[in-house]
Amino acid sequence: MALTDEEKQYKTPIVKEGSEHFFATNSAKNWDFESYFESTHNDINKLKQIPKIKSDYDADLSWIRQLAETPIAIKEYALSLIKKEKVRKRKENTPLKANMSKRAIKRRKVDQRTVNFNGPINGGTINNISNSEAQVTNAHSSERMKERKRMQKKRQKKKQDILNAEHDEPSIWLDFNYFIQSHAEAFHPYSPEANNIIRSGKGISHKPRLDRDLYNKYMEARNIIINSMPQSFHQYIDAFIDSNDLKEAKKKIRPLSLLLSKDEKDYDDDTANLEFLEHILKEVHIDYNSSEDAFNQLFIWPYLHVIAKSITIDGCNSDFIQGQPYLESMSRQLKAVNLYVDDKNQYKSDGLVKLFGLNKLELLLLVETSGSFSNQDKNKEKLDHHKGVYGALAMLKCIVDDYHYATLKTFVKVKVFFLHTADAELHFWSVCYQNGGVFDLWREADIQIKPDFQDKGDFLPDLVQFCWEVKCKLNESIKNIMALKEEHNTEKTKYRYSSVKPNRLSNIINPIILKLTKEEDYSEMSTLGPCYSPSHP
């Protein structure tokens, strides 16, 4: 059945959780069974449950036909889809396997509690309060409560005025914010979307919950900047690749080391860059050890040590801390919202890049490793991804709290990062704040680890480029943080003796503070993404 251009863009106005949500986030033109099959029923083995999915597809379309809000043309279109043959041949199932997770989900029952949200809808921290704390016992308390509400509305208006002043032009982030609020009931409470986080990037799908059209519009408009490695690196990488074995390859680094030793008196940016390459090449290893510690020690930590030491911006004093260092940013934020349990329950990371010159801020890089090399535990992979997301938000909030006199215009340039190692891949993600109370979760770069020496021709250039990209992004963010600090100090001086204080940045930026654990949330994360499209890498 043919639809008009306007009808092709139709989406159901009724939002429901489950497979029906597909029709609220996808235009009618994309309601075919193939799209439905790929986007829904992520909690079952789809290839073994095709008859069930067909039945649910027809039932969902019948539900749409029964809605009073559904236009007649769309009802007829839904009927035609029901009648359409949906036989799936074996060869058609093959490309779907990469996007399917063979997992059984046992959802944890969430205790129903009375809570107070401190911040915007679907964002902000959650504080537990007892019923007794919410009761008004006398007229005086009631009047005081009214006054508190009036002041709260006044503060909220000031926040919105600041947001409007900082962003006069229409923004797609406002469109994302509207989408999030409109579909709030369909999101899992721990999902990025439920907490005002938009996850995207090259090779990242809009699934499982984002609107396809809005996501595609955003990706088309996004300006992706890639920091290419210097051409001076090429000859040394080529010499390494042309070696017959690793021992010979290590010898090929000596001419570079000799060149650098001669240039000590004329140390400049070019020399620093070549020194960076030298250290990276020295750390190249070939090994298939199965433990998580070995994976970190061979393929993650050595490169992060080199990257952290290569950052020479005055006043930052960056360094990489390996092992299982506590994420102090998370502890600090949990304490701030009265959710901290005890020292035994602190967030343990797989590594941190700290700026010891800026109050030991963990504002650069958090590392999460999902098991050993080529580990296939998808539940742990998704859990660690989301641990990294919410860990990065805690880091970002600490920056806000420390430099709260700075402006929103300067703060939106600041990024924090987390490196997620999953299966045989490294995913380098950034998190920053955007217009409308939305947080931008963007995959900056990725690489597949190939430890076989025979793959050096493909792997080594990718490795050097990946490390170079990480180094450049961290440098850029540090410069923006230093600018934020300077602005904070300048503005703070203006109000040193004033009884009137400005609306501080820390009152505007309030991401959710959420610490996930394997014991409680292992099965909770498995359907929440990220999904890679096309197949990664």
Side-chain angles (χ1 to χ4, degrees), residues 231-273:
Q231 286 191 342
S232 58
F233 286 12
H234 296 178
Q235 60 175 312
Y236 300 105
I237 295 175
D238 291 340
F240 194 103
I241 292 174
D242 292 339
S243 304
N244 295 317
D245 53 44
L246 185 60
K247 184 177 180 180
E248 181 183 342
K250 294 292 184 179
K251 291 181 180 179
K252 295 293 182 70
I253 306 175
R254 293 176 183 173
L256 176 57
S257 301
L258 182 61
L259 174 65
L260 292 172
S261 64
K262 293 180 179 180
D263 290 342
E264 288 183 356
K265 294 182 180 180
D266 301 320
Y267 196 87
D268 55 15
D269 289 344
D270 291 337
T271 304
N273 292 340

Side-chain angles (χ1 to χ4, degrees), residues 57-121:
Y57 177 68
D58 290 343
D60 291 344
L61 288 171
S62 296
W63 166 72
I64 292 174
R65 295 185 70 241
Q66 294 172 5
L67 293 176
E69 298 87 347
T70 305
I72 295 177
I74 298 299
K75 290 183 178 182
E76 294 177 355
Y77 176 63
L79 179 60
S80 69
L81 292 176
I82 293 174
K83 293 181 178 180
K84 187 176 181 179
E85 182 63 38
K86 293 179 279 291
V87 174
R88 298 179 56 83
K89 298 179 181 178
R90 183 178 181 85
K91 65 178 182 179
E92 293 177 338
N93 293 335
T94 302
L96 297 176
K97 292 182 179 178
N99 297 324
M100 296 177 190
S101 301
K102 298 179 180 179
R103 52 186 179 260
I105 296 180
K106 185 177 181 181
R107 291 189 177 275
R108 177 166 58 96
K109 293 183 179 180
V110 181
D111 295 335
Q112 297 297 321
R113 298 176 180 176
T114 305
V115 297
N116 173 44
F117 287 88
N118 176 22
I121 298 175

Side-chain angles (χ1 to χ4, degrees), residues 375-387:
N375 178 52
Q376 297 297 315
D377 189 343
K378 296 301 179 183
N379 283 348
K380 179 170 174 54
E381 177 183 326
K382 305 305 182 187
L383 173 66
D384 287 346
H385 169 80
H386 289 87
K387 282 179 62 181

Side-chain angles (χ1 to χ4, degrees), residues 272-336:
N273 292 340
L274 288 175
E275 190 175 71
F276 173 79
L277 174 64
E278 177 197 20
H279 292 316
I280 293 295
L281 294 178
K282 285 182 177 180
E283 296 298 345
V284 175
H285 290 87
I286 309 299
D287 198 290
Y288 289 95
N289 196 302
S290 60
S291 72
E292 180 175 320
D293 284 342
F295 187 23
N296 283 325
Q297 291 168 10
L298 293 175
F299 300 121
I300 311 299
W301 294 343
Y303 304 122
L304 291 179
H305 272 295
V306 173
I307 292 170
K309 290 296 185 183
S310 71
I311 300 172
T312 56
I313 298 176
D314 291 341
C316 72
N317 193 17
S318 63
D319 200 3
F320 176 69
I321 311 300
Q322 67 183 49
Q324 287 190 320
Y326 293 128
L327 182 61
E328 295 176 10
S329 295
M330 179 63 76
S331 299
R332 176 178 162 185
Q333 292 304 320
L334 289 173
K335 290 177 181 178

Side-chain angles (χ1 to χ4, degrees), residues 202 204 295-296 298-304 307 365 367-374 381 385 418-429 443-450 459 462-464 466-467 470 532 536-537:
K202 184 179 180 181
I204 304 299
F295 187 23
N296 283 325
L298 293 175
F299 300 121
I300 311 299
W301 294 343
Y303 304 122
L304 291 179
I307 292 170
L365 185 66
V367 180
E368 281 293 340
T369 302
S370 298
S372 59
F373 179 77
S374 294
E381 177 183 326
H385 169 80
F418 74 94
L419 180 67
H420 183 210
T421 67
D423 195 353
E425 300 168 10
L426 307 184
H427 303 274
F428 179 53
W429 295 87
R443 189 175 70 169
E444 301 278 359
D446 62 283
I447 184 175
Q448 183 176 27
I449 298 294
K450 298 178 181 179
F459 174 59
D462 289 346
L463 173 65
V464 175
F466 181 83
C467 292
V470 173
Y532 301 113
H536 179 78

